[in-house]
Amino acid sequence: MLRQVTLEDIRSIGIGAGILGTGGGGNPYLGGLHLASVIRHHGPQPLIDPFQLADEALVCVAGNIGAPTVSIEKLPEGTEMLRALRLLEAHIGREFDAIAIAEIGGANSMQPLICGLLAGIPTVDSDSMGRAFPEIQMSSFLFDSAATAAPLAMVDAADNAAVLPAAISDRWAEKMARNIAVSMGARAGLVGTIMSGAQLKASGVHYTMSLAHQLGCRVIEAQAQKRDVPQVVADELDGQVLFRGKISDVHRRTTAGFARGSVRIDSFTPLAPPDKSGGSLHIEFQNELLIARVNGAVAVTTPDLICIVTAEEGEPVTTELLRYGTRVAVIAVPAPPQLKSENALRVVGPGAFGYDVAFRPLPGGVIGRRPKGS
Amino acid sequence: MLRQVTLEDIRSIGIGAGILGTGGGGNPYLGGLHLASVIRHHGPQPLIDPFQLADEALVCVAGNIGAPTVSIEKLPEGTEMLRALRLLEAHIGREFDAIAIAEIGGANSMQPLICGLLAGIPTVDSDSMGRAFPEIQMSSFLFDSAATAAPLAMVDAADNAAVLPAAISDRWAEKMARNIAVSMGARAGLVGTIMSGAQLKASGVHYTMSLAHQLGCRVIEAQAQKRDVPQVVADELDGQVLFRGKISDVHRRTTAGFARGSVRIDSFTPLAPPDKSGGSLHIEFQNELLIARVNGAVAVTTPDLICIVTAEEGEPVTTELLRYGTRVAVIAVPAPPQLKSENALRVVGPGAFGYDVAFRPLPGGVIGRRPKGS
């Protein structure tokens, strides 16, 4: 178990959270540079076991809202998370005891560390997805809980700020926050989903920062040993390598505060009956990769994870980095159980994104379990 | 001078503010029904002379933000103004002493009365436009003043709420507020532009509620006397009847939180050289009527007022009511001097709306002057 995050951990977390993020969460390399600069100034950030939290502790999540494609074009000012946190504290008249992770994806795995460091409070080793999702209401902290997405606070790189004191539902909080994020250039720092320690313990996907770190370490090891890194990733996450090939087409538009589009990956070998190996894989995304079809047939859907990594190095290929010609492997990973309840599937299943297909869960899964060897 | 607003004043104010609103501000008939129900319950609303305000009094504006086309489809819950006011008071930790008028246009002339009545504080007989404009920064309270549009608070007919504590400029406050209004269904109650009594006295367009009331009274009188009502309106406002004809085409789309489009009015007589009477008039609008061209030549531009009234009764035809076949008169009215300074024209002149034409002010004008006979 990771007990603090130091400069040495950033690369591993960036790789692990880049993979778990299923394309979203913002660019992990840029997020890592930001985190490194803050750690250099303030020292390592303590990471606490969720079950160390007092039941009455006051916790919230912190992260960026917007389109990952924008995250590599519009850099942060640096204090967005802290300013949003202070704004929310002023609004509710209380101070937070710890920061939880909204999504263990890309740069958004690092924002709660940056926020905690700047505010002088610990980060909790627990997130609400065990992956990344594009919308605020897609959070295990909210599915079966009295917690709500609003009140929330948002700030941009300049001095624009917004507080949403209340929303009629978490989906409406998302609608309003998304439009504010669009006004802020499709990138804003957001702090919200206020909850107690007891609520976090009951609803979080735990130990995912440790998992991201461990996954990243395994990738770095396997790279050094020149092993089949995508297979190592799949094994580590109890998943499977679904496809290997070359990106042959990317459709992408940054619209309504999201990066939406699709990517086609052609196998190195043509489609060969009867086993139907080869051919092509087609993935649709809304910030995150949502549905994968192999030669037209649905192979994996949200909430199970669809992870694209480079074919050789097994490094994450996030949505904003998808481009023609990259040789990749696609890994399918079982979602944590918190995302598969009836209430959860209503919010994060294929139907929530407009796909008229059933969710057929991949068997097994390790996300949310206490990491091996800890 | 009007010293209070009673049930009997509502129809006159609705007519006058409907005309001064140059198409925008929301439907005055529906706004009048709402105001009547509140006055029936709480009694008349006191209207105070701006120069009665203490210099240190705390004042803000209240009104609806959104598209006038939506104002006749999505009715208010009724307490939007009060809830937004209370939210803003909680945010700044102070209570307001009086409510000023954002725009003396359509239903937005009535919202500050409703807000004041429900909150138990007076309404100031002063607005920031002497007409209506589509965007928040288009306010004489802001042009040459230290006042800013943010902090502001917004609520919708349900329990969705937002506070903008700060914006880097009034234009950015507009951008954010507009997108929030879109999330709220293109209609929301907004309270903001916090200022002192001294600031209001220095920057407001004064006595415009009294002016709207007096204008409405003149229209009603002229209707009873079967006079040429459009000419009476023009005389009352030191303007001129620019055109008479029939609406022959309306292009209108409700987009990005505005009603945008154009209207074409054909004369009852064909274009007749050499005096070029007749022909057609073309007006473009963004909530409000912005530029009028007679037979292709620019005749009137913002900030001067372009007012459409019915040909016979001289009743205002607001943007949401424009439709094929209505017989109308178009009246051009000189804007108040507060809208014609260099700073003001940068925000409300033709260039601010993307028109590459010079503003050629109509001579004269009475808006913002103490009404005759008071």
Side-chain angles (χ1 to χ4, degrees), chain A residues 13-45:
Chain A
I13 291 172
I15 293 173
I19 294 171
L20 289 168
T22 72
N27 190 271
Y29 176 70
L30 293 175
L33 290 180
H34 183 190
L35 176 58
S37 76
V38 178
I39 289 182
R40 259 184 227 110
H41 197 264
H42 295 273
Q45 166 66 352

Side-chain angles (χ1 to χ4, degrees), chain B residues 12-276:
Chain B
S12 302
I13 291 172
I15 292 173
I19 293 170
L20 289 168
T22 71
N27 189 271
Y29 177 69
L30 293 175
L33 290 180
H34 184 189
L35 176 59
S37 75
V38 178
I39 288 181
R40 261 185 224 108
H41 196 266
H42 295 272
Q45 167 65 352
L47 192 67
I48 60 174
D49 186 306
F51 294 99
Q52 283 179 345
L53 271 180
D55 278 353
E56 62 280 11
L58 193 68
V59 189
C60 65
V61 303
N64 276 316
I65 177 171
T69 40
V70 174
S71 76
I72 53 172
E73 297 185 0
K74 183 172 186 281
L75 300 184
E77 175 268 347
T79 64
E80 283 89 342
M81 295 300 136
L82 180 66
R83 288 184 287 128
L85 185 80
R86 294 301 183 226
L87 193 54
L88 190 58
E89 287 179 335
H91 176 70
I92 64 170
R94 289 181 65 189
E95 292 187 0
F96 291 101
D97 300 308
I99 303 293
I101 306 163
E103 56 182 11
I104 190 73
N108 268 349
S109 64
M110 293 155 179
Q111 298 304 336
L113 299 167
I114 293 168
C115 184
L117 261 176
L118 295 178
I121 54 179
T123 303
V124 188
D125 191 1
S126 185
D127 87 308
S128 73
M129 304 177 185
R131 48 168 291 165
F133 276 122
E135 301 182 9
I136 294 174
Q137 76 278 10
M138 298 171 173
S139 161
S140 70
F141 295 145
L142 302 170
F143 295 147
D144 296 284
S145 154
T148 52
L152 61 82
M154 298 172 66
V155 301
D156 72 2
D159 284 326
N160 294 307
V163 176
L164 297 184
I168 55 171
S169 69
D170 297 326
R171 193 176 287 265
W172 273 88
E174 157 67 25
K175 280 189 190 200
M176 292 193 284
R178 185 68 45 182
N179 275 356
I180 296 169
V182 169
S183 323
M184 291 176 168
R187 175 178 192 149
L190 186 150
V191 169
T193 306
I194 299 171
M195 60 197 145
S196 67
Q199 286 174 318
L200 181 139
K201 285 182 258 187
S203 62
V205 183
H206 301 315
Y207 309 116
T208 46
M209 183 70 79
S210 292
L211 176 69
H213 178 258
Q214 179 174 297
L215 176 61
C217 290
R218 293 286 176 281
V219 166
I220 294 169
E221 275 170 29
Q223 288 171 344
Q225 297 162 351
K226 305 217 179 289
R227 293 169 60 197
D228 176 354
V229 190
Q231 189 59 54
V232 169
V233 170
D235 292 346
E236 190 69 19
L237 295 175
D238 199 18
Q240 49 182 290
V241 178
L242 186 68
F243 204 85
R244 296 178 197 251
K246 197 181 78 167
I247 295 179
S248 58
D249 205 4
V250 181
H251 287 274
R252 186 165 42 200
R253 55 194 202 288
T254 301
T255 176
F258 295 109
R260 293 177 190 269
S262 63
V263 55
R264 179 186 156 129
I265 300 166
D266 284 338
S267 174
F268 301 123
T269 53
L271 181 57
D275 69 340
K276 295 213 175 179

Side-chain angles (χ1 to χ4, degrees), chain A residues 91 136-137 142 146-152 163-178 180 193, chain B residues 83 87 154-163 180 183-184:
Chain A
H91 176 70
I136 295 174
Q137 77 277 11
L142 302 169
T148 52
L152 61 81
V163 176
L164 297 184
I168 55 170
S169 68
D170 297 327
R171 193 176 288 266
W172 273 86
E174 157 67 24
K175 279 189 190 200
M176 291 194 284
R178 184 70 45 181
I180 296 168
T193 307
Chain B
R83 288 184 287 128
L87 193 54
M154 298 172 66
V155 301
D156 72 2
D159 284 326
N160 294 307
V163 176
I180 296 169
S183 323
M184 291 176 168

